[in-house]
Each structure stands twice: as structure tokens, then as C-alpha cells.
Amino acid sequence: MGKLDTNKRLKRESLLKTAFSIFTDKGVSKTSISEIVEKAGVAKGTFYLYFKDKYDLKNKLISHQSSLIFKNAIEALNNKEGLDFDDRIIFIIDNIINQLYKDPNLLSFISKNLSWGIFKHAVTSPENDEDINFKIVYEKMLIEEAPVIFDNPEVMLFMIVELVSSTIYSSILYQEPVELEKLKPYLYRTIRMIIKSHEIEPKE
């Protein structure tokens, strides 16, 4: 990577990092582009080289952060052996939940701004080469390596994502209805039921 490319990457990363800090402190609606570029130490024109507006920046930030979280979970899974299909899914989810538990600001930001459309775009259209392409992982895990054929695996994934995101937010931040470790067994049991309900038949 040349010096020019390195400078561009550093400026983009500075904008993302600064925006995340301000967004989690003030919220997206109360944050201006001028404030972001001033604190990031870049020219306003530079902002528009990478982002259309602050909402485009927000979506790309969600994409990048979601990819990093998922990448960490996949790397951890690759160091585990002997797990069956359901346990592999639960392992990934548990790793992601634990990452969010350690970073409440990230949890709050993602939970407030993440929709299924943004999530799907985030995990299937990486913003840069360092981000994981979830489409490849999805096709490998849920279609190629799964021991059964699933009835619409994308719907199954949607239901799991919605379930996890809606339940862990209150549990992590407010310990409602129970603290996270007490919630996990119920959550994972329900996820296994969702997986089971989408099974059509074993693969030959």
C-alpha cells in the first residue's frame, strides 16, 4: 500500500472512529458533519470523498462494526473442534453477545440503528478488504455444511437475529427481565427450536 493509499485509509478510519464516539454520546440526529470533521481533524471535502451524508456514514459504521464482531466470532469458532451444527451456531452467537456485553456503547449504537436491511447489506457487502463477507460464511455453514436441508435459511437467520438483538439489549444494559447469564439458557434453547422448526430433511 502506497503512502497516498495509507493516508486515505487513515482519514477514513479517523472519520469512522470519531463518528462512533459522537454518535454514541449524542445520537445521530444531534450530530453534524461539521462536528465530525472538526474532531476528526480532516477537511469537510474529505468527508464527502467517502460518505454521502452522516446517515451513509452511520450505515457504513454499522457495517464495519458488525463485520468486526462477526469476524472475531468466526475466528474463535475456527479454534474449536467437535461441535455439531447447532452448537456451532450457538457458539458464534454466544461469542458475539459476549463482545457486545464488554462494549455497551457498541451494543446501544447497533441496537438503536440496526435494521434487517442494514444488517443484510453489512454482512454481504463488506466495506473494505478487512471486513468479512458473511455471504460466503452463510452459504458454507447454512447450505453446504449443514447436515440437513433448511426451509428458507434466510428467514431462519432473520428470526434468530431479531430474537437475539431484541432480548440481549435490555438484559445487558438493565438486567431485565434477568441478567445476561440467566437469560442465555432460555435464549439458546429458543434458537435451537427455531433451527429445528426450519429443518426439512437430512441430507443424503
Side-chain angles (χ1 to χ4, degrees):
M1 182 179 292
K3 185 176 181 180
L4 182 60
D5 290 334
T6 300
N7 287 338
K8 287 182 178 179
R9 180 177 60 81
L10 290 175
K11 287 180 179 179
R12 186 177 185 277
E13 288 178 355
S14 179
L15 286 167
L16 287 169
K17 184 177 180 180
T18 302
F20 177 72
S21 176
I22 302 175
F23 285 164
T24 54
D25 182 47
K26 299 175 58 176
V28 177
S29 62
K30 295 181 180 179
T31 301
S32 68
I33 292 174
S34 296
E35 184 177 6
I36 294 172
V37 298
E38 181 180 352
K39 291 191 176 182
V42 302
K44 199 167 188 177
T46 301
F47 177 95
Y48 291 104
L49 291 176
Y50 307 108
F51 313 107
K52 296 176 182 178
D53 51 37
K54 66 179 181 180
Y55 299 102
D56 181 45
L57 168 57
K58 177 201 72 174
N59 291 344
K60 286 182 168 60
L61 184 56
I62 292 173
S63 174
H64 180 61
Q65 294 289 352
S66 299
S67 179
L68 288 178
I69 293 171
F70 193 78
K71 183 178 181 180
N72 291 337
I74 291 296
E75 288 176 350
L77 176 64
N78 290 337
N79 294 322
K80 296 287 290 186
E81 296 181 356
L83 298 180
D84 63 21
F85 178 79
D86 289 14
D87 287 338
R88 287 166 63 83
I89 298 296
I90 297 297
F91 180 90
I92 291 173
I93 293 170
D94 187 68
N95 186 280
I96 291 172
I97 290 174
N98 290 338
Q99 290 183 67
L100 293 172
Y101 177 79
K102 294 176 182 178
D103 193 345
N105 284 336
L106 179 58
L107 168 66
S108 182
F109 175 70
I110 289 180
S111 297
K112 288 179 180 178
N113 296 285
L114 185 62
S115 66
W116 174 250
I118 293 175
F119 173 81
K120 186 177 179 181
H121 175 77
V123 296
T124 58
S125 303
E127 290 297 327
N128 57 60
D129 293 338
E130 296 179 357
D131 290 348
I132 195 168
N133 189 330
F134 182 73
K135 183 178 181 181
I136 297 174
V137 179
Y138 163 82
E139 291 178 349
K140 183 179 180 182
M141 286 193 66
L142 297 185
I143 298 177
E144 296 175 14
E145 295 182 349
V148 301
I149 297 173
F150 288 110
D151 179 15
N152 202 327
E154 184 174 332
V155 171
M156 179 180 74
L157 182 61
F158 165 78
M159 294 178 68
I160 292 173
V161 170
E162 288 294 309
L163 171 66
V164 172
S165 62
S166 62
T167 54
I168 67 168
Y169 180 82
S170 293
S171 182
I172 290 177
L173 295 183
Y174 309 112
Q175 292 76 54
E176 292 290 346
V178 293
E179 61 187 37
L180 182 61
E181 289 306 314
K182 290 183 178 179
L183 176 71
K184 280 183 177 182
Y186 299 98
L187 176 62
Y188 297 159
R189 186 168 65 197
T190 304
I191 290 171
R192 291 180 189 277
M193 292 172 62
I194 292 174
I195 295 172
K196 186 68 176 178
S197 70
H198 282 260
E199 294 179 2
I200 297 179
E201 60 184 10
K203 289 181 179 176
E204 296 181 358

